[in-house]
Amino acid sequence: MKIINPATERVIRNLKTDTVIQIQEKFKFAKEAQLIWQKQSIDDRLETVKKFSHLLAKRQEKLAALLTQEMGKPIGQARGEIEGAQARINYFIENSSRYLTEEVVWEQPGLQEVISYEPLGVIANISAWNYPYLVGVNVFIPALIGGNAVLYKPSEHTQLTGLEIQRLWNQCGVPEGLFQTITGAGDAGQTLIDLPLQGYFFTGSYTTGQAIYEQVATKMVPCQMELGGKDPLYVAANNSKLKQAAAAAVDGAFYNNGQSCCAVERIYVHQSVYHDFINLFVQEVKQLKLGDPMDPTVYIGPLARKQQIDVLQDQIEDAQALGGKLLSGGQAETRQGYFFQPTVVINTNHNMKLMTEETFGPLIGIQQVKDDKEALTLMTDTPYGLTASVFSEDQQQAREILDQLPTGSGYWNCSDRVSARLPWSGRGHSGFGTTLSHLGIRSFVQPKGYHLKENI
Ligand code: NDP
């Protein structure tokens, strides 16, 4: 497998991918390691996770540079991702014992009812490339704390990062085989699906997720899907903080080059503030610096995948053919690397792919609406349900809209935000199951009820 730097289009490493037989061997080792690991106390497991977090901090600079080189994320955002991952790990370190320790839920003389939380066994963590540390730690940290072994399949666009993560675990002294990275593209992931693992935790696109879920269903083991989105943002009337709203919306749409599962993918603006908002929005977009992602002042790096340029170009052409108007950008840069100009299209509607299909790039459509009711109708017009944002001075108005939206997260005056304390989940084509929060700690264990009677 050739690892290509998307900023230079140069091959930075040639990797040997795992064969089917090697993946089967890895599964065998993982099963053995898991039996040792589950016997360790939760406190001992947490000590190992602390070591991992410490190593991550120590290597931050080197790991951030590697991530930038292999998937194009600007270096400042790569550093931020590793710091964000550490914050999430800290949450798990501080809270896991509380939610995984055996509990006596009822007792009377001679009789006890107890819940214990058992590991699933060996689980597959099949991951996307856009935030390999963040979406990785959402799964592999609570999975390991819960006593499982992990076969981690990073995307083909973040293989080197995946191998570094495995190296860190090995340096923490975990039983050999407890955490193993699977090297290879989709076919390596498919081999994991073909094996009898005890849980499947997938982050990626709806299309791949659906194909995997269909196959895992027959195994009768836990399965979670964290999939894509077409996340809407609505700017309501009477908003005196339009400049701040525009700046926040630009960040929500263009951070990580728009390649976030919860990126703002479409914007609706009340007619009373529409013109002011789009002027402020475009001013902000024109200030985004595009260039070498190793330059710490750069905000827009290259896309991770070359083929995404065609997807963006197609959405722009389709929108223009249906009456959309380009206010900035509109094409790929004529330079080495997969760079695409940050692009804003207005006069949009829901006949356009731009407003209905996942974009996953530095491109946003803005549509004018006459009132909250129309905004709500349009925001709901999607099979996805990951997040939605309302920018308004009135919390109650925002909650009324957010409460009616079938999404896993609702944002008032913010967007593209993830907290370790809150559940991360989707609805519809954005998937199902939960990571993060106390609910996400328990996603990787199975409860067992004990009925304990002293006398027969
Ligand atoms: P893909 O669906 O293309 O790939 C996801 C993972 O699945 C990759 O590791 C991929 O390997 C692997 N894979 C591909 N085919 C198979 C197969 N047949 N069997 C098993 N595994 C397979 O998604 P992307 O990596 O392109 O990620 C982008 C998508 O992820 C977007 O839709 C985004 O919204 C979503 N996402 C959702 C998140 C959430 O929390 N809801 C978070 C982050 C991203 P390879 O890449 O090597 O082909």
Side-chain angles (χ1 to χ4, degrees):
M1 177 181 274
K2 287 189 191 323
I3 309 296
I4 294 170
N5 181 334
T8 61
E9 298 183 49
R10 291 209 190 98
V11 176
I12 51 174
R13 194 90 66 86
N14 279 297
L15 271 189
K16 254 189 155 176
T17 53
D18 285 334
T19 61
V20 172
I21 291 174
Q22 282 169 325
I23 296 171
Q24 287 167 344
E25 280 290 301
K26 286 186 172 183
F27 177 45
K28 197 171 135 247
F29 284 139
K31 280 200 283 193
E32 288 162 9
Q34 195 270 327
L35 293 175
I36 301 168
W37 181 246
Q38 74 168 2
K39 289 199 187 104
Q40 290 195 11
S41 70
I42 182 148
D43 287 343
D44 286 346
R45 284 186 230 140
L46 288 172
E47 280 309 310
T48 307
V49 173
K50 280 183 201 160
K51 277 190 212 157
F52 177 81
S53 181
H54 178 70
L55 285 177
L56 201 57
K58 215 168 127 192
R59 306 272 165 80
Q60 178 179 351
E61 210 38 51
K62 191 175 148 244
L63 296 173
L66 183 69
L67 180 56
T68 296
Q69 282 158 25
E70 76 173 331
M71 67 72 71
K73 186 185 296 258
I75 188 72
Q77 297 178 19
R79 289 182 189 131
E81 178 174 348
I82 295 173
E83 278 159 20
Q86 279 172 267
R88 290 190 195 178
I89 295 172
N90 282 343
Y91 169 83
F92 287 123
I93 290 171
E94 283 164 18
N95 292 282
S96 293
S97 287
R98 205 158 111 216
Y99 294 103
L100 297 180
T101 304
E102 186 166 299
E103 41 188 331
V104 179
V105 290
W106 184 79
E107 62 185 329
Q108 67 176 39
L111 177 61
Q112 261 192 345
E113 293 180 356
V114 172
I115 304 177
S116 83
Y117 298 95
E118 298 182 339
L120 303 173
V122 181
I123 64 126
N125 176 186
I126 302 176
S127 196
W129 47 265
N130 56 347
Y131 290 96
Y133 287 101
L134 290 175
V135 297
V137 303
N138 287 3
V139 172
F140 64 67
I141 295 288
L144 290 172
I145 294 174
N148 302 282
V150 176
L151 294 180
Y152 176 61
K153 157 69 182 84
S155 158
E156 59 192 294
H157 304 288
T158 47
Q159 293 277 309
L160 301 178
T161 295
L163 289 169
E164 286 298 322
I165 293 173
Q166 172 175 317
R167 208 160 289 148
L168 295 187
W169 282 116
N170 290 345
Q171 285 169 12
C172 293
V174 293
E176 202 183 341
L178 186 76
F179 182 98
Q180 296 174 82
T181 294
I182 305 295
T183 316
D187 52 342
Q190 184 60 46
T191 305
L192 289 178
I193 308 298
D194 296 338
L195 287 167
L197 273 65
Q198 282 100 12
Y200 288 86
F201 296 82
F202 175 80
T203 311
S205 62
Y206 166 70
T207 314
T208 312
Q210 189 195 38
I212 290 177
Y213 183 38
E214 274 175 13
Q215 298 173 71
V216 174
T218 59
K219 296 176 193 274
M220 306 297 255
V221 296
C223 178
Q224 285 200 173
M225 293 283 150
E226 297 204 333
L227 310 177
K230 188 71 193 168
D231 297 358
L233 180 151
Y234 172 46
V235 183
N238 305 321
N239 200 320
S240 64
K241 295 193 183 126
L242 269 193
K243 192 168 163 46
Q244 291 92 323
V250 167
D251 198 40
F254 293 97
Y255 191 81
N256 202 29
N257 224 348
Q259 304 168 123
S260 303
C261 52
C262 53
V264 174
E265 286 249 340
R266 50 199 172 110
I267 298 178
Y268 305 98
V269 187
H270 191 275
Q271 57 186 354
S272 62
V273 289
Y274 179 71
H275 292 289
D276 289 343
F277 179 82
I278 54 173
N279 286 337
L280 291 163
F281 190 89
V282 171
Q283 273 172 33
E284 286 285 335
V285 171
K286 295 218 158 129
Q287 282 168 26
L288 301 178
K289 184 171 171 188
L290 179 150
D292 176 5
M294 289 304 287
D295 173 350
T297 64
V298 158
Y299 185 88
I300 301 274
L303 295 163
R305 301 167 300 171
K306 190 176 189 175
Q307 63 271 33
Q308 198 63 11
I309 290 177
D310 294 337
V311 174
L312 302 182
Q313 210 74 68
D314 177 54
Q315 289 198 355
I316 293 168
E317 280 162 23
D318 173 70
Q320 283 180 307
L322 294 167
K325 186 175 161 204
L326 208 58
L327 287 192
S328 91
Q331 57 193 14
E333 291 268 292
T334 49
R335 59 193 280 173
Q336 201 89 45
Y338 316 146
F339 291 90
F340 202 93
Q341 299 166 349
T343 301
V344 181
V345 182
I346 58 164
N347 294 352
T348 57
N349 61 59
H350 274 221
N351 293 323
M352 299 173 181
K353 294 178 193 171
L354 173 59
M355 299 304 276
T356 52
E357 294 177 10
E358 192 174 32
T359 300
F360 229 58
L363 162 62
I364 188 81
I366 308 182
Q367 183 167 346
Q368 183 176 174
V369 294
K370 64 175 188 303
D371 53 24
D372 291 0
K373 192 163 168 268
E374 188 185 8
L376 183 63
T377 305
L378 291 168
M379 289 169 99
T380 336
D381 180 27
T382 176
Y384 291 106
L386 195 56
T387 80
S389 322
V390 175
F391 279 69
S392 152
E393 296 200 3
D394 179 352
Q395 181 174 179
Q396 200 185 334
Q397 175 196 25
R399 276 300 299 265
E400 263 167 36
I401 297 171
L402 294 171
D403 289 354
Q404 294 178 69
L405 291 169
T407 59
S409 298
Y411 299 123
W412 177 44
N413 289 338
C414 56
S415 64
D416 190 24
R417 180 178 190 275
V418 181
S419 164
R421 294 171 293 275
L422 295 176
W424 188 248
S425 66
R427 311 272 193 273
H429 286 197
S430 294
F432 56 86
T434 306
T435 55
L436 299 176
S437 78
H438 63 281
L439 300 163
I441 292 172
R442 288 200 177 141
S443 293
F444 302 90
V445 289
Q446 44 202 341
K448 186 166 189 165
Y450 284 100
H451 309 241
L452 306 173
K453 257 178 111 181
E454 245 166 53
N455 299 308
I456 302 167

